[in-house]
């Protein structure tokens, strides 16, 4: 009779998966996700040379650890609002939703690992999954802990959390998202690994309310397309990128126009939109530098020849980011000569140098905005020779 019930459950799940883009499949795949089937321990469950975490294989979770961890670690299921503790850290009064019940507490130190895996392997269909658990750290002053939460495939591939810190005194979520391209057998895993120091230097975490959400492959592909399209639209509308006026902008505009409101070919569209958006945003610094360079001041005593050289270097607006970079370098070279040859009048030994530094002129890497600032320098023996170092000292007046 049990086999027939499992078959009916699978058929119901299959129908639900095809009827909905996203489906909560926790009850179909995660055994005892809230640890309610476990018998809770009482009092302080402390680490010791002869103690290990409590095993709950009969309730769906098998205890595992690396050799030597037992001296510095402990794990057990406790009940909310009781005197239960894990290595001196008390379990909170209620879960993340304000309910009573059980939670799994984990404390570990000195680089060791304490964790649990599903007692029995299950097979997940191909698709996108979001695996989530709520966590509460009750070790005052310590937040570090490497989460071992995730899904471990039988073939050796692991999809584990990247979380390494748990805020003290509040419920937080730990989420692992992963994609399976084919039916995959494996086990769910939960626990932690100490990062440095003893158990007192690492978070003492209570885990509860595991959930698993499934998205069918076709919908996952479409969701990725919708995300890429929105990011492209956001980038093109962002005023911070107004200086990007060349091929990178036109390419992104073309991609948006081409792939907006399509009904097929989502994967190719996603790739094209991401590539165009990446090229567009990466071009910003080159175009910004060019715009800063062309906003040079008019100097009343500059020679016509040097001024013409600057204007020639500015030329037409660049067509690409690389061209913008080349033009910027040429402009700075011409501007240096433009400033150095500026004089008060012909035949005078004393020459006055006026430099208006605007939007990071000369030292473009400083990203400085400084308008209408005039710096005057006087020399006795011919025109000064300014290096970038000396110009950087002038920038400090901005």
């Amino acid at each position: 009779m049990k086999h027939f019930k499992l078959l009916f459950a699978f058929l119901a799940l299959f129908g639900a998966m095809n009827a909905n883009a996203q489906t909560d499949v926790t009850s179909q795949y995660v055994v005892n996700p809230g640890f309610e089937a476990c018998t809770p321990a009482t009092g302080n469950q402390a680490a010791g040379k002869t103690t290990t975490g409590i095993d709950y294989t009969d309730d769906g979770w098998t205890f595992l650890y690396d050799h030597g961890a037992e001296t510095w670690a402990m794990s057990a299921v406790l009940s909310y609002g009781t005197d239960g503790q894990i290595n001196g850290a008390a379990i909170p009064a209620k879960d993340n939703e304000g309910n009573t019940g059980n939670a799994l507490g984990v404390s570990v130190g000195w680089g060791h690992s304490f964790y649990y895996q599903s007692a029995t392997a299950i097979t997940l269909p191909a698709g996108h999954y979001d695996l989530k658990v709520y966590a509460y750290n009750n070790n005052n002053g310590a937040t570090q802990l490497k989460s071992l939460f995730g899904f471990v495939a039988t073939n050796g591939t692991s999809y584990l959390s990247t979380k390494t810190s748990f805020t003290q005194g509040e419920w937080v979520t730990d989420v692992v998202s992963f994609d399976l391209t084919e039916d995959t057998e494996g086990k769910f895993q939960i626990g932690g690994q100490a990062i440095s120091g003893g158990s007192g230097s690492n978070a003492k975490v209570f885990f509860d309310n595991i959930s698993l959400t499934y998205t069918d492959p076709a919908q996952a592909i479409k969701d990725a397309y919708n995300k890429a399209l929105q990011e492209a639209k956001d980038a093109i509308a962002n005023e911070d990128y107004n200086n990007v006026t060349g091929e990178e902008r036109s390419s992104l505009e073309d991609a948006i126009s081409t792939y907006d409101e399509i009904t097929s070919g989502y994967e190719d569209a996603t790739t094209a939109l991401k590539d165009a958006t990446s090229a567009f945003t990466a071009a910003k610094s080159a175009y910004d530098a060019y715009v800063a360079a062309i906003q040079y001041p008019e100097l009343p005593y500059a020679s016509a020849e040097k001024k013409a050289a600057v204007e020639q270097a500015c030329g037409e607006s660049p067509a690409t980011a690389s061209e913008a970079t080349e033009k910027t370098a040429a402009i700075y070279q011409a501007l240096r000569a433009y400033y150095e040859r500026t004089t008060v009048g012909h035949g005078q030994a004393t020459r006055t140098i006026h430099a208006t530094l605007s939007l990071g002129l000369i030292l473009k890497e400083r990203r400085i905005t400084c308008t209408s600032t005039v710096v005057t320098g006087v020399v006795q023996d011919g025109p000064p020779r300014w290096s970038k170092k000396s110009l950087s000292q002038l920038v400090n007046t901005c």
Side-chain angles (χ1 to χ4, degrees):
M1 187 67 179
K2 183 177 181 181
H3 294 294
F4 284 110
K5 288 182 178 179
L6 290 174
L7 176 61
F8 293 148
F10 174 77
L11 291 175
L13 168 64
F14 183 79
M17 285 181 175
N18 285 275
N20 302 288
Q22 286 188 317
T23 307
D24 186 330
V25 294
T26 307
S27 61
Q28 284 78 19
Y29 291 110
V30 186
V31 177
N32 194 15
F35 309 102
E36 300 306 317
C38 304
T39 300
T42 59
N44 183 26
Q45 301 298 307
K49 292 184 178 180
T50 59
T51 61
T52 61
I54 300 176
D55 182 74
Y56 300 100
T57 297
D58 292 342
D59 302 312
W61 295 101
T62 298
F63 171 68
L64 299 166
Y65 66 101
D66 60 323
H67 181 69
E70 64 274 16
T71 303
W72 318 105
M74 189 59 193
S75 61
V77 170
L78 305 174
S79 288
Y80 294 111
T82 67
D83 65 348
Q85 299 179 28
I86 291 293
N87 262 351
I91 187 171
K94 296 181 179 180
D95 72 2
N96 57 289
E97 295 182 344
N99 301 319
T100 58
N102 297 341
L104 173 66
V106 175
S107 173
V108 64
W110 302 113
H112 292 295
S113 301
F114 255 39
Y115 58 102
Y116 292 79
Q117 285 188 351
S118 306
T120 304
I122 50 87
T123 299
L124 295 177
H128 175 82
Y129 292 88
D130 293 304
L131 181 64
K132 180 171 70 174
V133 68
Y134 287 87
Y136 189 99
N137 169 27
N138 210 16
N139 189 14
N140 189 26
T143 60
Q144 64 173 0
L145 184 73
K146 180 180 180 180
S147 174
L148 298 179
F149 179 58
F151 178 72
V152 179
T154 304
N155 64 14
T157 303
S158 296
Y159 306 92
L160 299 182
S161 169
T162 58
K163 195 173 184 66
T164 58
S165 179
F166 293 83
T167 303
Q168 193 274 330
E170 64 180 66
W171 285 102
V172 298
T173 56
D174 190 2
V175 180
V176 180
S177 298
F178 57 97
D179 295 284
L180 301 177
T181 57
E182 59 184 1
D183 292 358
T184 305
E185 182 185 79
K187 295 181 178 182
F188 298 107
Q189 180 174 286
I190 189 167
Q193 179 181 3
I195 293 178
S196 65
S199 59
S201 299
N202 291 269
K204 298 179 181 181
V205 180
F206 295 90
F207 296 100
D208 199 4
N209 297 326
I210 299 171
S211 64
L212 180 68
T213 301
Y214 168 90
T215 305
D216 69 74
Q219 184 61 42
I221 292 172
K222 189 172 182 179
D223 287 347
Y225 153 76
N226 286 327
K227 181 180 179 182
L229 178 62
Q230 189 58 53
E231 289 177 347
K233 290 181 177 180
D234 290 344
I236 208 74
N238 191 336
E239 293 183 356
D240 290 341
Y241 291 85
N242 283 352
N243 289 338
V244 182
T245 56
E247 292 180 5
E248 293 83 3
R249 175 174 289 274
S250 59
S251 294
L252 182 56
E253 290 173 339
D254 290 344
I256 293 173
S257 176
T258 300
Y259 297 111
D260 198 4
E261 298 183 0
I262 60 175
T263 57
S264 61
Y266 295 113
E267 290 178 290
D268 290 341
T270 300
T271 299
L273 287 165
K274 284 185 174 181
D275 289 347
T277 302
S278 178
F280 177 77
T281 56
K284 182 179 185 299
S285 59
Y287 282 96
D288 285 349
Y290 169 77
V291 170
I294 64 175
Q295 296 184 33
Y296 62 90
E298 292 289 337
L299 300 185
Y301 305 111
S303 70
E305 178 186 356
K306 299 302 179 183
K307 182 178 180 180
V310 173
E311 293 174 347
Q312 183 178 0
C314 292
E316 297 181 357
S317 297
T320 64
S322 59
E323 185 176 324
T325 299
E326 293 174 0
K327 282 181 171 289
T328 300
I331 292 169
Y332 288 141
Q333 184 176 0
L335 280 173
R336 174 171 295 182
Y338 180 55
Y339 288 126
E340 289 177 350
R341 296 298 180 180
T342 299
T343 62
V344 173
H346 296 291
Q348 295 186 9
T350 301
R351 299 177 180 184
T352 306
I353 307 304
H354 297 270
T356 302
L357 305 177
S358 177
L359 296 174
L361 189 58
I362 304 302
L363 293 179
K364 57 181 178 179
E365 69 274 10
R366 291 282 298 275
R367 296 287 189 270
I368 294 172
T369 299
C370 179
T371 59
S372 300
T373 297
V374 178
V375 180
T376 301
V378 179
V379 296
Q380 298 297 327
D381 300 314
R385 306 298 295 180
W386 288 355
S387 65
K388 283 191 175 183
K389 181 177 180 181
S390 60
L391 285 169
S392 68
Q393 295 172 349
L394 297 181
V395 173
N396 291 330
T397 63
C398 298

